[in-house]
Every structure is written in C-alpha cells, then in structure tokens.
Amino acid sequence: MRSKIVAGNWKMNKNLAETESLLTELSAKLPDTSAEVMVAPTYINLMEAVRHLESSAIEVIAQNMHFAQNGAYTGEISADMLLNIGVETVIIGHSERRAYFGETDAILAKKVKTALSKSMRSIFCFGEELEDRKADTHFNVVEKQLKNALFSLNANDWSKIVLAYEPVWAIGTGETASPEQAQEMHAFVRKTIAEAYNDDIAANVSILYGGSVKPANAKEIFSKPDVDGGLIGGAALAADDFVAIIKAI
Ligand code: PGA
C-alpha cells in the first residue's frame, strides 16, 4: 500500500530562529492525519530541526546530498552525514538542482544509488519544462528522466523511492498544473513503471505532485486517484498554509 505524503521543501529560506519558530508553530498546529508529514530545512539548520522535532511525528528530510561516500567535494554533504544526525530521507533531482547546479540524469542516478546503498529513502523529482509541454513532448521527457535515473534499479529498491512530479513551469510561478493534468501524468508514470517492472511496484509507489500547491487548490489536486500527496515549496513556509494543505489530504 502506498502512503500519502505531504513534504515541505523550504529551499534557501529561514534562518535558525525562523526555523525554530516555524517548527514550533507547525508542531502545535499539526492536525491528526494518516499522511506522512515531512519538512526539508536548509542544511545548516537540519540538526537543530531534528532535535526540535524529536518527539514529533514530523520527519526532517534533506534537500540534496552528494553521491560520493566522502572526500574532496568542497561544500557538499554525504549520505552518512545525514544519517548520522538522524535524517533518512533526501530529495533528489529537484528542478532547481537540475537547472542551476548542472545535475544531470546520470548524476541523479548515482545519488539515488548511494541513497539506496545506505537504506535511505529518496524523493525523486522530475518534470517537463514549459517548452516541452507546448511541443507536446512532456510524456517523452518524463519517461526519459525516469528511465535514465531509475530504471536500472532492482525491483526491491522501489520500496525506498517516492516520486514527485513537478512540472517546471508550475514551480514558484503561481501556475499550477490542473488536477486533470497532474492525474494524467501520474497515471502515465504508473503505466511506465508497470511496463518496466510490474503492476505491484507501479501501484505501491507514492507519486507526489509539486508546483504552486496552495490551501486553495490542494484538495482538488489530492482528490485525484494517482496523486498521493504533495511536495510544497512556497506554501510550506507559513505554518497555517502548510497545515491547511495537510488537512486537504
Ligand atoms: P512551489 O515549489 O510550491 O513554491 O511551487 C514546489 C517545489 O519546488 O517543490
């Protein structure tokens, strides 16, 4: 059975005091939910966030990590470092990492393999650019992203993979894919996985939608049968909005 997930990607926002205050507010307002709730603060505040949420149901996750075990990679963070402070889930392949930091499918494939080798869960992001959608190549683009980074995994590995469909044109733009567009892509992704692996794996992988999810549109998006939750950027930075989105699932 796949799980419902609402994950907040804070990106490069919130200093230490702001992180503590948002976490305190979130913990106090967290509604009863069957969904897994996650937050991804910046690296520098991860350890404090883990401490802060020790007795909370909210999981602290990382926004990125390097594929190497350790070594001469100035500015980078390894899987072991994350595990060492109690972080067991990592976002991999966010479109901002792909676009601004040159992360290719080949690099992302290595990151996912490293996460798996450490039994970490990956939230693997993918999605087309506006030009792809206009050219009607969005299904091909997504299929290629999945194939290149994930389809060399073993069937067993998929229990540690969560997918996040994030059309680039909908991230931070206020433009949301319509619930129908999200459902159409999520169903396509499940079909593609079923063809590459089997129906069981396709049915059990959680597929989140991300891109301008807000309290006002969350319920409709989450009501779609192949949408298992959301990866939330901007609206995760305010406790009331994030809580409203959790309530919508
Ligand atoms: P957004 O970001 O909700 O601000 O569009 C989503 C994301 O980048 O994960």
Side-chain angles (χ1 to χ4, degrees):
M1 254 295 280
R2 57 194 195 239
S3 40
K4 302 261 183 205
I5 297 172
V6 179
N9 174 13
W10 294 8
K11 309 189 180 183
M12 198 172 71
N13 293 294
K14 306 281 179 194
N15 65 22
L16 179 58
E18 291 163 347
T19 297
E20 286 169 336
S21 122
L22 179 52
L23 292 177
T24 301
E25 201 182 343
L26 266 184
S27 302
K29 294 180 174 173
L30 190 70
D32 245 354
T33 176
S34 56
E36 293 182 55
V37 177
M38 307 173 177
V39 292
T42 61
Y43 273 136
I44 200 164
N45 295 320
L46 271 184
M47 198 156 91
E48 189 50 39
V50 171
R51 260 194 225 127
H52 204 98
L53 296 177
E54 222 158 37
S55 52
S56 157
I58 303 173
E59 181 183 352
V60 177
I61 68 173
Q63 297 178 17
N64 176 36
M65 68 170 202
H66 201 269
F67 54 76
Q69 296 286 325
N70 62 281
Y73 296 98
T74 301
E76 291 292 334
I77 308 282
S78 72
D80 282 338
M81 289 168 188
L82 293 174
L83 287 169
N84 189 239
I85 61 161
V87 173
E88 298 175 347
T89 301
V90 58
I91 299 172
I92 289 180
H94 190 279
S95 65
E96 288 147 19
R97 300 294 318 169
R98 293 174 188 259
Y100 309 144
F101 302 96
E103 296 197 1
T104 60
D105 287 346
I107 291 174
L108 301 177
K110 286 202 216 175
K111 290 189 178 204
V112 171
K113 289 231 161 82
T114 299
L116 285 165
S117 75
K118 302 286 176 182
S119 290
M120 289 180 80
R121 186 152 63 153
S122 301
I123 299 182
F124 181 82
C125 304
F126 59 93
E128 81 282 1
E129 313 253 353
L130 186 58
E131 306 82 78
D132 304 321
R133 188 156 277 267
K134 281 189 177 151
D136 207 24
T137 55
H138 46 294
F139 291 116
N140 299 344
V141 168
V142 160
E143 187 173 4
K144 210 165 137 219
Q145 288 173 332
L146 295 174
K147 223 175 234 170
N148 289 347
L150 300 180
F151 284 5
S152 62
L153 300 182
N154 297 322
N156 290 343
D157 294 335
W158 280 83
S159 63
K160 292 281 187 189
I161 304 290
V162 170
L163 298 176
Y165 169 54
E166 299 206 307
V168 178
W169 48 273
I171 296 178
T173 56
E175 245 345 281
T176 325
S178 69
E180 290 69 33
Q181 285 172 321
Q183 168 57 27
E184 186 185 32
M185 184 58 86
H186 286 218
F188 170 77
V189 167
R190 249 184 249 290
K191 181 174 82 69
T192 306
I193 295 171
E195 283 164 8
Y197 289 88
N198 57 54
D199 287 345
D200 240 30
I201 290 178
N204 284 312
V205 66
S206 295
I207 310 179
L208 316 184
Y209 170 78
S212 299
V213 177
K214 305 271 181 275
N217 58 25
K219 207 169 183 70
E220 217 190 329
I221 295 170
F222 294 163
S223 72
K224 294 297 175 191
D226 286 300
V227 178
D228 304 309
L231 183 56
I232 319 299
L237 297 173
D240 287 337
D241 285 351
F242 194 56
V243 163
I245 291 170
I246 297 167
K247 284 184 178 157
I249 203 156

